[in-house]
Amino acid sequence: MANFDIAELALKSICPSNTILYDDKEMPSIMVYIPKFRLCDVLSTTDTSVHPAFRKGGLEVDGFYIGKFQSHDYGGRAYSLPRENPSANVTLDMVVGYNRAKGSKFHEVTAAEWAAIALWCHKNGCEPRGNNNYGKDVSETLYKAVPTGTHWDGSGKTGPVATGTGPVTWSHDGTLEGVWDLNGNVWEWCTGLRLVHGELQVIPYNDAADPTCNLAATSPAWKAIKAAATSWDDLFVTPDGNGTTQGTVKLDFISGKWTYSTTIAHATTASGCSFKDVACDASIGAQAKLLLQALAMLPDPELTGDGIAADYNMDHFWINNAEAERCLFRGGDWDYGAYAGVFNSNLFSPRSDSYVRVGGRSAFQD
């Protein structure tokens, strides 16, 4: 039996729904398939449109594959493998390049794809725990994972842990077959969403997953969001490049909370609040709000049900609305405590920054 067959047989015996995808060098990555769902399946809306993660190039797609594990980089390529030290100290453009180097449809996880998983978790009362407290979750006392490094401050405390070595509560769906380490361990760069002087800009739907999409800072693919849009087709407008496009969605820091508005009266280089407290003022219309919720950039306070945490488990929202392009990473790291989680977002850093606590995750969409 070929080595490929043995590896796939071993995986299927433990995680039947997981898949091994091979790059153009026949090197494997273990992936989890996320099938298409509608907005009304995960949000308190009657809109039956598919979630933006399942629309690319103007067409609906049946689903996407997400790395089961945070990326470890070998030879300038990103791989999703168990019991690896998650690679960090990488810029946004580096993680994009490490995935595109693999060929085919591999890409760095997009903001839309991450949001789709986060919303599914929330709706199903299954927001995962993870390494957000020096090798364990802040809410767990007994469970720990396999350490791969120590905290950067020299204290000797556990920093990152080996991918997939935590308890099953660290899986996105609470099973062995789920996506691991979305809460803590290392932050993960996400493509297709940014701030420019406080103006929220996106590469619409999931077009950022296309390996030919221009993700550069100057790319014409970036669009601002029309605050008063009345339909999906009316949402996206060409930004003016200065973050001052008239009538578009921006982030303002008002009374200690982030608020979406069409103007910015309070600029700050580093402020945060709980995700549950992020709000919109009267200038933001229903269609723009729905897009923000779909991208896990705005809470859905009307969504209730068994197991649904109204406070989004205190996940945090950390923003810089005073400077030029600021790019997205999500999830938190090993010492972020209760602030870490699938709704934790950070738009504080430029794409050129790299940190010992920020890495990435592969995805694949056909």
Side-chain angles (χ1 to χ4, degrees):
M1 183 179 291
N3 288 339
F4 290 169
D5 295 335
I6 294 173
E8 292 183 14
L9 179 62
L11 176 65
K12 293 298 184 183
S13 68
I14 301 171
C15 300
S17 69
N18 291 177
T19 300
I20 298 179
L21 296 181
Y22 298 91
D23 65 10
D24 58 9
K25 289 189 175 182
E26 297 189 336
M27 293 293 292
S29 285
I30 301 176
M31 313 292 284
V32 177
Y33 187 66
I34 308 297
K36 177 174 64 178
F37 54 75
R38 303 166 299 169
L39 290 171
C40 60
D41 295 328
V42 291
L43 293 168
S44 60
T45 177
T46 58
D47 193 319
T48 58
S49 304
V50 296
H51 185 277
F54 306 105
R55 183 175 173 185
K56 185 177 74 172
L59 301 174
E60 287 189 19
V61 297
D62 290 334
F64 63 88
Y65 292 91
I66 183 79
K68 185 177 181 71
F69 309 107
Q70 294 178 320
S71 293
H72 183 90
D73 305 327
Y74 285 105
R77 291 170 175 237
Y79 293 99
S80 168
L81 297 168
R83 299 187 70 85
E84 295 281 1
N85 185 26
S87 293
N89 264 329
V90 286
T91 68
L92 174 60
D93 292 335
M94 287 172 67
V95 296
V96 168
Y98 290 165
N99 281 283
R100 290 184 171 184
K102 291 157 62 71
S104 192
K105 304 296 192 301
F106 287 99
H107 58 272
E108 177 65 12
V109 63
T110 68
E113 290 167 343
W114 179 288
I117 296 170
L119 293 174
W120 184 95
C121 291
H122 189 64
K123 178 61 184 290
N124 288 278
C126 196
E127 291 173 46
R129 298 174 180 176
N131 173 24
N132 54 43
N133 186 30
Y134 307 106
K136 60 187 182 69
D137 188 273
V138 70
S139 67
E140 296 174 333
T141 57
L142 298 178
Y143 301 127
K144 294 184 179 181
V146 177
T148 58
T150 56
H151 189 44
W152 61 270
D153 67 359
S155 65
K157 295 180 180 179
T158 296
V161 298
T163 55
T165 61
V168 74
T169 53
W170 295 14
S171 160
H172 92 286
D173 63 358
T175 75
L176 289 175
E177 297 180 84
V179 183
W180 236 262
D181 300 321
L182 291 167
N183 179 331
N185 212 25
V186 296
W187 296 85
E188 299 175 25
W189 284 110
C190 297
T191 64
L193 189 151
R194 68 179 184 177
L195 283 182
V196 176
H197 295 290
E199 179 179 73
L200 192 68
Q201 297 179 4
V202 297
I203 294 178
Y205 304 108
N206 204 32
D207 288 359
D210 190 323
T212 66
C213 181
N214 183 354
L215 302 177
T218 57
S219 171
W222 289 106
K223 301 298 179 184
I225 301 167
K226 184 177 177 182
T230 57
S231 69
W232 287 101
D233 293 334
D234 189 38
L235 268 172
F236 306 110
V237 297
T238 300
D240 65 11
N242 301 311
T244 55
T245 318
Q246 287 293 313
T248 62
V249 174
K250 302 171 180 68
L251 273 166
D252 198 8
F253 196 60
I254 302 173
S255 301
K257 299 177 182 179
W258 285 104
T259 300
Y260 290 102
S261 178
T262 53
T263 60
I264 297 176
H266 310 87
T268 171
T269 57
S271 291
C273 71
S274 291
F275 177 72
K276 70 177 179 63
D277 293 329
V278 179
C280 295
D281 70 14
S283 67
I284 308 299
Q287 190 67 53
K289 287 182 182 178
L290 182 59
L291 175 64
L292 294 171
Q293 289 176 338
L295 294 175
M297 295 296 289
L298 178 70
D300 182 356
E302 297 179 16
L303 186 65
T304 59
D306 292 342
I308 295 178
D311 64 357
Y312 287 84
N313 291 325
M314 301 306 296
D315 292 3
H316 214 57
F317 199 69
W318 190 256
I319 303 295
N320 175 347
N321 72 338
E323 298 179 283
E325 185 189 52
R326 290 299 182 264
C327 297
L328 177 67
F329 44 79
R330 286 180 144 164
D333 59 50
W334 61 78
D335 70 348
Y336 214 55
Y339 288 168
V342 291
F343 289 96
N344 182 301
S345 292
N346 188 314
L347 280 160
F348 173 73
S349 300
R351 65 174 60 219
S352 58
D353 276 8
S354 61
Y355 306 97
V356 296
R357 54 180 73 205
V358 181
R361 188 181 298 265
S362 290
F364 181 99
Q365 189 175 66
D366 205 351

